[in-house]
Amino acid sequence: MKPTAAAATPQLLRRVNAQSVLAAVRTTEVATGTELMTRTGLTRASVIAVCEDLIRRGWIRELDPRGEEQPLGPRKGRPARRFELNATAGFVLGIDIGAATTTAAVADLRGTVVGRSSESFRATDIPAEERIGVVDRACRQALAAAGSGPGTVLAVGAGIAAPVDRDGKVLGTQHFWSLFDVGLRAALKELHGWAVLLENDANLAALGERWRGSGAGVDDLVVLLAGERLGAGVLESGRLLHGRGGAAGEMGYLDLVEGVGSSDGIASLARQWSAAGGGPAGGGVASARRVFEDAAAGDPAALAILDRISDRMARVIATVASFINPEQVVVGGAVAESAGALLPGITALLPRYTATPPRVTVSPLGDSIVTVGAIRHALDYVEANALELELGQ
């Protein structure tokens, strides 16, 4: 059956127009009606009607020419009408749920983080109720740090280290992935009434990088979370790729790639290859940070490990470039701070392995990349559903 476009009903148009105006107001301190017309493509009458509706609902405020809040009502003359986002009308939560720890970040409606908290799981394989309890505790502590409470949360973005399909269902065909299939959406809905948007962590990393990272504004973008294991979030024409079961971007295929052989990440490879070479001078197992520090100091063994990692990552990125053809590939996650040392080697090797080498960068977002993307995901939901959401004030 051929799909048909949704009818442009008045209700749908109101939602779309409200989303456009909110997105425009969010990205500037103060916007005039004329500026909103330019940025949204709406007529003056439509902009003013939307703004007045959003003012009544508490989403935005109108300022007088001196920059003070101005009540609705008759006005003398025709001064430029000026609007600003009511950034604290509500909050969103961004959660990064890993195997060992979870981090929750609270952000206002501009995406400014105002509270953060991290909690550890006592083990990787724990009961679902326990995992949910740890996540909930991190969320409540982050809200307390922000001076807010559960009733102010308009949406929650949550990233997990498992494939998630377009409907928010976890693909549990591997034991490790199934550890994250704990019913988090239903549990937080029951506990707090929250709308929880579950997504793969690498996908959220891609959203975060495109919003506030080195890939800002890039529509054809791949972000590689490259710490312990490799995983990719893929944006094509600005749209996240999921695949049928949410497994687009999973990198188990690297087991079959010559010169790669596994989906081990940069941190894991640095430890493995350091240990195979006898470890650092002081003994023990070298961390990835130690390997990079030793390489920066000119240690020949550490430099050799960086060369091997550069070659491995060039091969990985070449496979991504060959079948996705992105404009840019970003190396992200906790290793990003050190991974800049790999860029010259990767960039030099790429043309040897692919005819379509992308630009390669490292993310400036560090280990917050997933929570940044989760916040963006939640804000997108809020803007799209502003007319249906009730503000708690």
Side-chain angles (χ1 to χ4, degrees), residues 228 266-276 278-294 299 302 305:
E228 292 301 317
I266 292 171
S268 178
L269 293 174
R271 287 198 309 273
Q272 292 175 40
W273 290 343
S274 175
V285 177
S287 66
R289 180 184 294 272
R290 174 67 184 274
V291 172
F292 280 93
E293 289 174 348
D294 288 351
D299 178 74
I305 290 173

Side-chain angles (χ1 to χ4, degrees), residues 317-318 320-322 325-329 347 350 354 356-361:
I317 293 169
V320 171
S322 295
N325 190 207
E327 175 183 343
Q328 183 175 350
V329 172
T347 302
L350 271 176
T354 177
T356 56
R359 182 170 74 256
V360 182
T361 62

Side-chain angles (χ1 to χ4, degrees), residues 81 85 333 346:
R81 300 184 68 174
L85 182 70
I346 292 172

Side-chain angles (χ1 to χ4, degrees), residues 102-276:
T102 186
T103 298
V106 181
D108 65 19
L109 297 183
R110 288 194 188 278
T112 301
V113 174
V114 293
R116 184 184 295 270
S117 179
S118 294
E119 287 285 315
S120 297
F121 301 111
R122 65 175 175 84
T124 299
D125 199 343
I126 58 176
E129 294 83 358
E130 184 178 349
R131 191 173 295 277
I132 290 168
V134 173
V135 173
D136 182 50
R137 184 163 65 249
C139 292
R140 288 185 283 107
Q141 290 174 350
L143 285 165
S148 189
T152 65
V153 175
L154 298 172
V156 180
I160 61 174
V164 181
D165 70 13
R166 299 178 188 91
D167 298 320
K169 296 178 182 177
V170 180
L171 180 63
T173 56
Q174 293 186 12
H175 175 67
F176 180 76
W177 294 346
S178 70
L179 297 177
F180 298 93
D181 190 12
V182 297
L184 184 70
R185 291 191 301 171
L188 293 182
K189 178 75 172 177
E190 183 177 351
L191 284 169
H192 305 298
W194 293 342
V196 178
L197 314 169
L198 201 62
E199 187 49 277
N200 172 259
D201 55 359
N203 284 351
L204 292 182
L207 293 181
E209 191 66 24
R210 186 174 183 268
W211 181 33
R212 289 188 167 169
S214 65
V218 176
D219 286 340
D220 296 293
L221 179 72
V222 172
V223 173
L224 290 176
L225 291 183
E228 292 301 317
R229 297 189 68 80
L230 296 172
V234 181
L235 285 166
E236 199 279 327
S237 298
R239 178 178 62 90
L240 274 177
L241 295 186
H242 287 90
R244 180 171 63 88
E250 292 299 324
M251 308 197 80
Y253 74 90
L254 293 173
D255 294 355
L256 309 176
V257 176
E258 181 181 352
V260 180
S262 77
S263 57
D264 290 341
I266 292 171
S268 178
L269 293 174
R271 287 198 309 273
Q272 292 175 40
W273 290 343
S274 175

